[in-house]
Amino acid sequence: MDESWKTRAQMEAAEHAALAPYAQKSGDSRGRQHSEASHPYRTEFQRDRARIIHSRAFRRMEYKTQVFLNGTGDHLRTRLTHSIEVASISRTIARALGLNEDLAEAIALAHDLGHAPFGHSGEEMLAECMRDHGGFDHNRQSVRVVELLETSYPNFPGLNLTFEAREGLRKHQLLYDFPTPGEEKYHCPSLEAQLADLADEITYYSHDLDDAVDFEILSAAQLAENEVWRRSDRAVRARYSGALQPELHKLIIRNIIENEVRDLIATSAKSVAQSGVQSADQVRRQPARLIRYSDELAEANRALRKFLYQNVYYHPRVSEVNRRASEMLRRVFEEYVVDPDRLGDGATRRIESEGLHRTVCDYVAGMTDRYLMEEHERIAGP
Ligand code: MG
């Protein structure tokens, strides 16, 4: 290699020098399921990120509903723009805490790959269709996408991501099922995975409020009921006394993100220091997660989540249209079970190993909103 280029080995050394002792360094990765030669000028987590971005499931997120039916407004979030915002916030938090930005970013970009079309309603409907066949959960599905469903390589299924990226996609109880090298069962994933989880929350709290105001389903009076909103509203008005809509609203959203991120960084820095962890594996052996909000903000966020469920996710203009769309999902699902020849070739080949219902579920979960509607029209007529 030309001497002015940075090699992977140099990048790995730079991580060791620059990152916190408890950060997950790419040079210490437990590696991939199927072994591959290392890359001359990319770290393992850079490769993970690239594999995710270049996957088909990633591109399809552009046409999947986050909350508001895909295509109903040009400024509303989709699964793709949501994931990019999560990655951006994850990088900010990771850098401030001396953690591995590449790993946090890769996990953030992949965390929603398994989402079904049509948002919450689509997931509920697919879970209903799979009730007697092992259920459906988008977190588990993200793992299936990267380990099985993406077909990028001739000699193995999936994207063959590192242990650390896949660990980050296994949420909560799923972690216990995860075979680690050796017999050890971990309680927690890396700090990078923990922060990506909470960056996801911060992102959707703020952008669902933003989109709901844009979509005109939240009134000023309703917003004033919520403490997180109220606090930022007060802070913004104090600082920008002449601010008017729509800037005022954008400033409030920014202030909410800023408060959440700052609290998370400060609280987590303290809890990591108090725990005394000195390595990424000591983080994994902790009985509880170290990345967290202050108790005060955690409580305010619980109220915010409840507020969003009550006033946004189940608002008739949101849930009615998603529910009708989900009826299409059920119809298409049932048709495939009766007539599996309608499935694509790749899916048909999985029926033997995965079973008919799981194969249909994988296929339907992978669809964009638009494709599912078209398929519904082919099956049921316009
Ligand atoms: Mg998400």
Side-chain angles (χ1 to χ4, degrees), residues 66 79 82-83 86 108 111-112 115 138 171 200-201 204:
Q66 175 70 23
R79 287 276 171 220
H82 161 74
S83 299
V86 177
H111 86 284
D112 270 353
H115 259 292
H138 74 265
K171 309 255 174 119
D200 180 26
E201 273 188 27
Y204 77 72

Side-chain angles (χ1 to χ4, degrees), residues 10 38 50 56 59 111 115 117 127 170 176-177 234 255 282 292 314 318 323 333 335 373 379:
Q10 286 171 322
S38 56
R56 296 180 76 179
R59 292 194 293 281
H111 86 284
H115 259 292
R170 290 178 145 76
Y176 292 98
D177 311 331
R234 223 180 296 129
N255 188 270
Q282 284 178 18
R292 49 179 176 246
Y314 291 101
V318 175
R323 197 194 53 72
F333 185 99
E335 183 69 20
M373 288 178 186
I379 288 168

Side-chain angles (χ1 to χ4, degrees), residues 18-70:
L19 299 184
Y22 36 77
Q24 174 64 58
K25 281 84 174 177
S26 60
D28 298 340
S29 171
R30 287 176 162 79
R32 304 175 189 279
Q33 269 179 310
H34 309 274
S35 73
E36 292 182 56
S38 56
H39 195 275
Y41 56 85
R42 291 189 301 159
T43 66
E44 296 304 332
F45 301 148
Q46 282 181 280
R47 292 172 92 186
D48 282 346
R49 179 187 55 206
R51 287 172 190 211
I52 292 157
I53 288 177
H54 292 279
S55 70
R56 296 180 76 179
F58 186 77
R59 292 194 293 281
R60 286 198 303 263
M61 289 199 293
E62 183 175 358
Y63 303 103
K64 286 187 171 197
T65 291
Q66 175 70 23
V67 171
F68 301 89
L69 191 68
N70 194 287

